[in-house]
Amino acid sequence: MKKILVLFLLCFITFTYSSQMQTELKRIYQSEPVQEATNWVEDLINENGLDRKWDEAKQTTLGTTLQVVSGLSSDNPALEKSMRLLEYHLQHRINALPSISSSSLKLEVNPKLTLYAGDSGVTEESLKSASSLIMDYALPILQHNIDLNPKKMTEVVFYTSPEMYGNALLKAGLSEQETAAIVEQTGGITVNSSIWVPLFNLKGNAELANILTHELNHVCFNQAGIGNDLPLWLNEGISWHNGLAAQAKISPKQTQLEIKLQTASLKKIAQNGNLLPLSKIDQGLFTASYNVEFQGYLATEQLIDKYGLAHFQIFLGQVPALGVEKSFQQNFGQTLREYENEFSI
């Protein structure tokens, strides 16, 4: 019986995807009766305003979300601009960022990583400076801390003009309302293996080193196939860990002060009983009154301090084969939920 079913399935696939079948299906679709029916449905939708109502509802939801995000504040303005909260929203809206023109100014960091000028304000010196930050800080830190570096073709595009950056985001399929908030708020956007960095939102090499390391961390996870598997607090937590490590190499006192201020602010939130459980951070991305990503950073720090960086690296390496929960329990001796529940500040 199984053999018969397999043969039937093979015949079905062959017939369905044969060029003859495809041609026949196309002919049927283009036939007058089918086209009349299609046009009738489209007219019905338009007459009742269903397409407009759907678009209005979608834009209203997105607009409300972005207003909430724009209203968030932090004791760390430089890092707040990065707004990785927004990034998770974007990744569900954008499958790929538009390609950069082949005539654009570019600089190859290594065979797998190329930097591009998104507009004419990005100079060769700017690319060389960014390349040095990546080579001297980002890549070594990622290799040391998570045992990963970009293995597939990766591009980093820099913008100095809010207008050019905004136009690029519009081409990516975002609305004008979304684009306006992103241009103002973000310090970096990562989608798959592409990173866009608005230099006009960043101040100094320390901040740029942080952004580049953080975003390249996301690229590494995406290319390893675990970017969407890791819980938000852990994904962002280790990205913050590595980004701050890069920033500290250049400006240690500034970095220590920022961590101290963020921690003190979060402790007040916890004392008031308003700190979300780690397992609920995803649900509070756009509603929490504090920076939930820093909460993830502190939870990741405690995890590494308790079990060691070596175990953390092994955990990440085994996620593709075992899954997050099994790998977590195997390497840390407790379930993911147990750790999330016991975490405190």
Side-chain angles (χ1 to χ4, degrees):
M1 185 63 183
K2 289 183 178 180
K3 291 182 178 179
I4 294 174
L5 290 174
V6 171
L7 287 172
F8 176 80
L9 181 60
L10 288 172
C11 290
F12 176 78
I13 292 173
T14 302
F15 179 71
T16 301
Y17 290 96
S18 67
S19 58
Q20 182 180 357
M21 185 59 180
Q22 291 175 359
T23 301
E24 185 64 15
L25 287 173
K26 185 176 181 181
R27 186 190 66 79
I28 294 173
Y29 174 76
Q30 293 176 342
S31 66
E32 185 174 341
V34 173
Q35 287 299 304
E36 287 180 354
T38 302
N39 293 334
W40 178 80
V41 172
E42 290 177 351
D43 290 341
L44 183 64
I45 290 174
N46 293 332
E47 288 173 3
N48 288 274
L50 297 179
D51 56 339
R52 176 176 52 79
K53 292 177 181 178
W54 170 256
D55 187 67
E56 287 176 356
K58 180 179 69 173
Q59 293 303 323
T60 299
T61 302
L62 291 173
T64 302
T65 299
L66 289 168
Q67 287 174 9
V68 173
V69 173
S70 298
L72 294 177
S73 60
S74 167
D75 292 322
N76 183 351
L79 292 177
E80 185 67 11
K81 289 180 181 178
S82 300
M83 294 295 287
R84 308 296 193 270
L85 307 179
L86 206 52
E87 182 176 36
Y88 273 79
H89 172 65
L90 288 173
Q91 287 179 344
H92 289 86
R93 290 289 316 282
I94 308 176
N95 292 323
L97 296 171
S99 300
I100 300 301
S101 171
S102 58
S103 61
S104 298
L105 181 65
K106 65 180 180 180
L107 177 65
E108 186 179 277
V109 179
N110 61 43
K112 298 297 183 182
L113 180 57
T114 303
L115 311 183
Y116 293 89
D119 57 56
S120 59
V122 180
T123 65
E124 185 175 358
E125 287 303 313
S126 300
L127 296 183
K128 287 182 178 179
S129 178
S131 177
S132 296
L133 293 176
I134 291 173
M135 291 296 293
D136 295 342
Y137 304 111
L139 296 184
I141 286 172
L142 293 174
Q143 189 65 53
H144 181 268
N145 289 351
I146 62 173
D147 196 26
L148 289 172
N149 263 179
K151 301 299 182 184
K152 301 176 183 178
M153 294 305 298
T154 302
E155 64 176 26
V156 184
V157 186
F158 298 92
Y159 292 90
T160 59
S161 164
E163 292 74 23
M164 293 295 290
Y165 185 50
N167 288 336
L169 290 169
L170 289 173
K171 290 181 180 179
L174 298 176
S175 70
E176 292 184 1
Q177 192 174 20
E178 287 176 297
T179 297
I182 295 164
V183 168
E184 181 181 351
Q185 297 282 349
T186 59
I189 292 176
T190 297
V191 178
N192 298 325
S193 295
S194 296
I195 300 171
W196 285 6
V197 179
L199 293 173
F200 53 83
N201 277 342
L202 306 177
K203 297 178 181 179
N205 282 340
E207 194 171 330
L208 180 55
N210 183 330
I211 295 297
L212 290 170
T213 307
H214 186 122
E215 301 301 340
L216 284 169
N217 194 127
H218 287 311
V219 167
C220 289
F221 284 168
N222 292 341
Q223 293 183 356
I226 62 175
N228 294 326
D229 297 333
L230 296 172
L232 175 64
W233 67 264
L234 204 156
N235 194 327
E236 291 298 334
I238 189 60
S239 296
W240 269 65
H241 173 93
N242 291 330
L244 287 171
Q247 180 176 320
K249 294 285 186 180
I250 300 173
S251 184
K253 291 184 178 180
Q254 175 193 349
T255 306
Q256 291 172 5
L257 178 60
E258 290 175 355
I259 294 173
K260 183 178 180 180
L261 291 173
Q262 286 269 26
T263 303
S265 176
L266 215 58
K267 283 184 177 180
K268 290 181 180 179
I269 297 292
Q271 290 170 359
N272 293 332
N274 296 322
L275 195 69
L276 292 171
L278 286 177
S279 59
K280 302 294 184 181
I281 279 181
D282 299 58
Q283 301 174 23
L285 269 177
F286 303 109
T287 58
S289 61
Y290 65 92
N291 191 333
V292 297
E293 291 187 6
F294 192 79
Q295 181 182 352
Y297 162 73
L298 292 180
T300 303
E301 290 293 289
Q302 288 189 20
L303 186 67
I304 293 174
D305 288 343
K306 184 176 181 179
Y307 295 102
L309 188 59
H311 273 293
F312 189 84
Q313 291 176 354
I314 296 172
F315 155 70
L316 291 176
Q318 292 181 341
V319 168
L322 301 179
V324 174
E325 294 188 7
K326 188 173 182 180
S327 181
F328 194 97
Q329 183 166 14
Q330 183 167 302
N331 285 284
F332 302 130
Q334 60 181 145
T335 67
L336 177 64
R337 183 54 57 89
E338 286 172 344
Y339 182 79
E340 290 175 338
N341 290 338
E342 77 173 21
F343 169 73
S344 62
I345 300 175

